[in-house]
Amino acid sequence: MNSILEELCLGNISPSDRSFKRGSKFDRAACTLSRTADALLDSMDDAQKELYQAFVSAKDRVEHLEITDKFVYGFRLGLLLGLEVSGGYPAGGQ
């Protein structure tokens, strides 16, 4: 097996490609979200549907940026923790 960095570089590891179990809390929440969105769309006229789709697209973009930022921050924080534990980074420094 390649190193974890090689696997990440080759695309064999992707933090965003995670699955979830059927019946899990995530699955139930996703199903509720889907049913609610479908019911909402069914009650809208075409202009409202367009506005709703624009809202969903903007919300999805913000969520993508937020998730990316949190991943990068968490990765950096993890590296700093590792450095501190190994004695290579002064405690309390940034």
Side-chain angles (χ1 to χ4, degrees):
M1 176 179 197
N2 294 328
S3 75
I4 190 118
L5 288 176
E6 289 172 326
E7 292 293 319
L8 186 61
C9 179
L10 294 171
N12 297 332
I13 299 172
S14 178
S16 61
D17 291 342
R18 301 237 359 222
S19 60
F20 57 90
K21 293 182 181 181
R22 291 283 177 208
S24 66
K25 288 180 183 180
F26 183 86
D27 182 45
R28 290 190 304 272
C31 287
T32 299
L33 177 64
S34 180
R35 283 192 310 270
T36 304
D38 289 346
L40 184 59
L41 284 167
D42 288 345
S43 71
M44 295 177 170
D45 62 33
D46 288 342
Q48 290 169 325
K49 287 179 183 179
E50 246 182 79
L51 182 60
Y52 175 75
Q53 291 301 334
F55 166 78
V56 169
S57 292
K59 180 188 67 62
D60 288 347
R61 180 72 178 138
V62 168
E63 286 177 354
H64 173 76
L65 292 170
E66 180 182 23
I67 288 167
T68 301
D69 181 67
K70 286 181 178 183
F71 173 81
V72 169
Y73 176 75
F75 192 85
R76 288 179 178 156
L77 184 60
L79 286 174
L80 290 174
L81 287 168
L83 282 172
E84 185 173 326
V85 167
S86 69
Y89 191 78
Q94 288 191 1

